[in-house]
Structures are given as structure tokens and as C-alpha cells.
Amino acid sequence: MTDTPGPDTYGTVEPRVPLDEARVVLAGLGVTGRSLQRVLAPRVASLVTVDDKADDADHRGLDADGAAAVLAEADLLVASPGFAPHHPVVAAALAAGVPVWSEAELAWRLRVDRLGSDQPAEWLGITGSNGKTTTVEMLATILRAAGLRTAAVGNVGRSLVEAALDPTLDVLAVELSSFQLHFTHTMSLEAGAVLNVAADHLDWHGSLDAYARDKGRVYENVKVACVYNAADKKTEDLVREADVVEGARAVGFVAGMPGPGDLGLVDDVLVDRAFHAAGDDPDRRKSAAELGTLADLKQLGDLGGVVPTHIVADALAAAALARAHGVPASAVRDGLRSFGPSDHRIQRVAEADGVTYVNDSKATNAHSAAASLAGFAHGTVVWIAGGLAKGATFDELVSSRADRMRAAVVIGADPRPLADTLARHAPEIPVVVIDPGDTGSVMHRAVAAARDLAQPGDTVLLAPAGASQDQFTSYAQRGEEFARVVRELSA
């Protein structure tokens, strides 16, 4: 694990010269980096690219000395999310006093530059350990239902930096990772939300406190509302610590009875007690606006007749952000009704011999996998899990969700951490470990083993609790492989 990053790892904010005169180093030529390259090239004095793998980078795999030489003449480093504060290129920039910007910071600066010529879109930002993609896409659907021109951007959909330059958009639904937020300095969202904070990406941030601190940067300079999870005290603490624009409100959401100023669930009705208009009621605290019902969410994960709590929470967070932008309650309801499930998020793939197969490949950490398992009745799941742990552990996940499992199938380049945790906390559960050294498809062997363990009425659930890059190119490729193998074996 790396040393814990402190506030000094955010670096200097302002370059020594205006952007159009700057000598810029771009770190990373993945999907995000390519978008940044297209936008930056015509807007800066010079652009040098650095990447650990890309063949067309100006510099590849720099060590500390090489990074220092490249940064010696630079005015600005724009870093893709894969470049952590301890990466040689970023560390060299910080040591030399060269400002480091994320994609989000660059996009915001370009947005500010447009203020003199037009009215750029407001940003509604979402971060959290789990549920970001579902919530940002749900938010975009609600905004469209209100007749607004919008896009889901950031880690999903369009590139944020390109969307920030689009004059046809009214408002952006922005997914923001902790990596992006670490080097985002001047962003001022209309409203921002932290959905939850659980141990994740500790290999990048160094500690849970540093990780949470970066999540909390979504609240800095918020203008209208800081939306937090009333069931997760860490998110409320982040709101309390934030420096916001005067007049910005703290608005909680909870999948239960909401307090005054919050959004929540009363019986099966989603209600707003924060942004509602009270009419002639002299006491707003006693009134609420109806935003929809659980029936409007059943297409998003109604497994066993129950809408999972995390789906309800995501819907309420999206509703709170939309309401902060002035969207009417009727548009929230219409948006929720029309929203479909995201790819690789609790997707029902097939049913064969009385066994249901569900793809939740996007459950890339323990917290997300725990939420996925919670949506199933006791003892009905054959769990396929494993992958890169990113510095996290699985003890709480296994001990709290063992009652949901009939059996487990463990994949991953190093399956021992999860297999050992299952042996400690759930010794009565049969476990099959897929040998990463065996030839043939990892997923084919995993699904075949799960099928043999399952009984009629069970669910075979892919909810890996780890990142995919040890054996797959992405969580999407992992989920697609699962679905392909399930259909093949079912046939």
C-alpha cells in the first residue's frame, strides 16, 4: 500500500501562463486521454504525451529521472485517472510545483472560459463507492423527462471535457470518480452528491481517510445543494467539512422515513421534504411532494418481489439532484418509470433448469457486492466472485452475507484472499476455486461449476467484489463473457 496522500498531494492550482500559452504534458492515452488530446492540441502552445503502454506516446514508462526531465519545461500536467499521486510523472510535477489537473478540472476551466460568449450548462455531480453509473444515468433520464437537453458524462457516456464545450446542452449529469476529484480544484457544481463511502481504491489513495476526503471534494463550492446519504454518516461528515457557496443546503436521502429537509420513502411512496412547494401550508416541515412509487422502480431489480434498498437510494439521490435544478416532481416520476437497468448491473441473463443467472459484473468492490447479495432471499445464491481487491478486504462482506449463499465459485489471478475469507467466516459453504493457471476459459469453468452447485429456485450471481483487469479487459468484458457462457451452457 502507498503512503497516505495528504493535502499537499493536490499540488499547485494555477499554471504560470494562460492555457493558450502553456506547455502541457498529458499523462495517459486511454479513452479519457484520447479525448483530452483532441481537445488540448489546438488550445495550447505545445502538447507532450506520456503513457506507460501506448505506442504513439511521446514518452513511455518513465522512471523518476525521466519524468523529472519531461516536466522540467512544463507549465501544466493534465493527468488521466490511472496516474496516482505516487506515479513518477505526477510525483515529478508535484515536486517541481507544476499544477496537476484532472479531466474534470480542465473541463470546468473550459466551461468558465465560455461564460463571456454563452450560458454553459450547469453541472450536477455524483460520486460514491457504488451506484454512480446507475444514479447518473437515472438523473439524465429524469432531466430529459423534464424537457431538458442533457447528457450523462464523465466515467459514463460522453467525455466530460467534450460535453463541457457543447453549446446545445442545458445541464450535465456528471459521474466523478475519486481519482478525478483528487486533482479537481475550482469546480463549482450546482448540486453534488456522495452516495456512499466504503473501502475501495486504497492502492491509489493510500488510506480510507484520503479516499473519503477526495470523495468529499464534490461538495466544494456547491451553489444549491449538497446531497448526502443519511444512512452513511461519512457522507454527512463530508458535507459538514465542505466550503460551499453561501445559501447552499444540505439535503439527505434515505430509503426510509425522511426527516424535514430530506428525501425518503413513506410506505411505498418516494417523497420530497426538501424542495417541495408547500402551497398555503404555513409549516413546510409538515408537507411533502410525491415523486413516485416503488412500482416505478421494479424494472431496476425487482428480484423476489422486492426492490433492493440500494436501488431506492440511487433513485432518491437522482431525484434530489434533479429537484435542486428545479425539475418538477412529475418529471421525476416519469423519468423513473422510463429508466431501464444499466448494462452489467443486476441484469437477468437467462433461466435454465429452474436456476436464474444474473450479471452484476459492475459490483467491483466489497460494498457493491454486499448490496447485490442483499437483494436475494436467504440461502439461494451461488456466488461467482473474485478479482483485483485494490487494497480492500472481504471479511465484512462474507460475514454479513453468508446467509445468502448456497455456495461460492472464486475466480481471479489470486483467488486466495477471497477463498481464505470464505473459509474463515463461512466454513459451511461449499467453495470451488477456479485455478487461474488452467487452460481454457476462466468464466466457462466458473459458470459450469456454479451450474453444478445450484438447485432449482437458486440464482447464480456474478458479483465479483473486485476489479476485472487481472483476467479481463474491463468489467464490461467480464460481464459479456459471463452472459455468453450462460447462454451457451443453457442452450
Side-chain angles (χ1 to χ4, degrees):
M1 185 172 293
T2 64
D3 292 335
T4 301
D8 58 321
T9 67
Y10 300 132
T12 304
V13 174
E14 298 297 332
R16 293 168 288 191
V17 297
L19 187 61
D20 60 356
E21 300 175 14
R23 296 163 296 182
V24 178
V25 175
L26 170 61
L29 287 177
V31 174
T32 297
R34 298 294 182 184
S35 296
L36 292 168
Q37 186 180 32
R38 288 193 296 271
V39 170
L40 278 168
R43 288 178 168 83
V44 299
S46 68
L47 181 65
V48 173
T49 58
V50 176
D51 193 271
D52 291 333
K53 298 178 181 178
D55 291 336
D56 59 339
D58 297 315
H59 300 278
R60 294 180 61 190
L62 294 175
D63 59 14
D65 290 338
V70 169
L71 270 297
E73 301 299 324
D75 300 304
L76 174 67
L77 172 67
V78 179
S80 296
F83 284 73
H86 54 272
H87 189 283
V89 173
V90 180
L94 295 170
V98 175
V100 183
W101 290 0
S102 65
E103 178 197 17
E105 179 65 17
L106 175 64
W108 185 260
R109 298 283 187 136
L110 295 174
R111 177 194 182 276
V112 170
D113 289 345
R114 290 174 50 202
L115 287 173
S117 57
D118 59 16
Q119 184 58 47
E122 291 285 0
W123 292 13
L124 303 171
I126 297 167
T127 193
S129 300
N130 302 297
K132 295 186 294 296
T133 300
T134 297
T135 307
V136 77
E137 291 178 339
M138 196 180 295
L139 172 59
T141 304
I142 293 170
L143 295 170
R144 291 189 192 101
L148 295 166
R149 299 171 299 175
T150 189
V153 299
N155 288 339
V156 60
R158 294 178 60 182
S159 158
L160 174 55
V161 72
E162 292 176 334
L165 296 170
D166 188 342
T168 69
L169 297 175
D170 299 316
V171 57
L172 300 182
V174 185
E175 179 180 336
L176 293 161
S177 70
S178 56
F179 308 147
Q180 292 169 310
L181 288 165
H182 185 89
F183 289 117
T184 298
H185 313 287
T186 62
M187 182 178 68
S188 181
L189 300 174
E190 183 176 36
V194 181
L195 303 178
N196 40 61
V197 176
D200 199 10
H201 301 300
L202 303 189
D203 53 345
W204 199 101
H205 295 275
S207 72
L208 180 58
D209 286 344
Y211 171 66
R213 183 167 61 244
D214 284 336
K215 289 292 187 189
R217 290 170 74 83
V218 79
Y219 293 134
E220 293 299 317
N221 306 310
V222 157
K223 293 176 284 192
V224 175
C226 296
V227 178
Y228 68 94
N229 185 344
D232 187 337
K233 188 176 183 300
K234 295 186 187 73
T235 67
E236 184 176 3
D237 291 341
L238 294 174
V239 174
R240 295 183 187 280
E241 296 164 5
D243 185 8
V244 302
V245 174
E246 185 175 356
R249 305 166 57 187
V251 176
F253 64 89
V254 60
M257 182 68 69
D262 293 345
L263 281 73
L265 187 67
V266 178
D267 296 326
D268 65 344
V269 179
L270 281 68
V271 299
D272 168 17
R273 299 187 67 190
F275 302 101
H276 64 290
D280 295 329
D281 186 349
D283 187 357
R284 289 172 59 94
R285 296 168 63 87
K286 297 179 180 179
S287 59
E290 180 177 332
L291 302 174
T293 68
L294 292 182
D296 298 320
L297 301 173
K298 63 182 180 181
Q299 76 279 13
L300 302 179
D302 184 3
L303 301 171
V306 178
V307 179
T309 299
H310 66 279
I311 295 293
V312 178
D314 292 347
L316 290 166
L321 292 169
R323 297 285 277 165
H325 188 67
V327 167
S330 59
V332 174
R333 178 201 61 216
D334 294 344
L336 294 178
R337 285 179 179 174
S338 64
F339 181 71
S342 303
D343 290 342
H344 312 293
R345 172 60 79 192
I346 317 183
Q347 279 188 310
R348 193 185 300 260
V349 175
E351 183 175 334
D353 300 323
V355 175
T356 301
Y357 293 81
V358 174
N359 169 20
D360 199 6
S361 183
K362 210 168 187 304
T364 58
N365 57 46
H367 187 267
S368 183
S372 186
L373 285 161
F376 297 87
H378 291 240
T380 66
V381 174
V382 177
W383 182 37
I384 300 178
L388 291 174
K390 299 171 289 184
T393 60
F394 305 105
D395 295 84
E396 183 177 353
L397 163 62
V398 172
S399 61
S400 65
R401 295 292 183 262
D403 64 339
R404 301 304 205 266
M405 304 175 203
R406 181 180 302 283
V409 178
V410 181
I411 60 175
D414 183 7
R416 291 172 300 174
L418 182 54
D420 291 348
T421 304
L422 284 160
R424 286 197 305 273
H425 295 290
E428 72 285 358
I429 293 173
V431 176
V432 173
V433 177
I434 303 301
D435 187 342
D438 283 352
T439 59
S441 164
V442 169
M443 192 59 73
H444 190 282
R445 286 179 281 132
V447 173
R451 179 190 60 180
D452 293 342
L453 291 163
Q455 299 180 14
D458 285 353
T459 296
V460 171
L461 173 67
L462 173 67
S468 58
Q469 287 82 0
D470 58 340
Q471 293 181 310
F472 304 90
T473 59
S474 65
Y475 75 82
Q477 194 253 340
R478 178 173 59 190
E480 289 160 3
E481 182 72 1
F482 172 78
R484 184 190 65 78
V485 171
V486 165
R487 294 187 182 106
E488 176 185 305
L489 293 180
S490 299

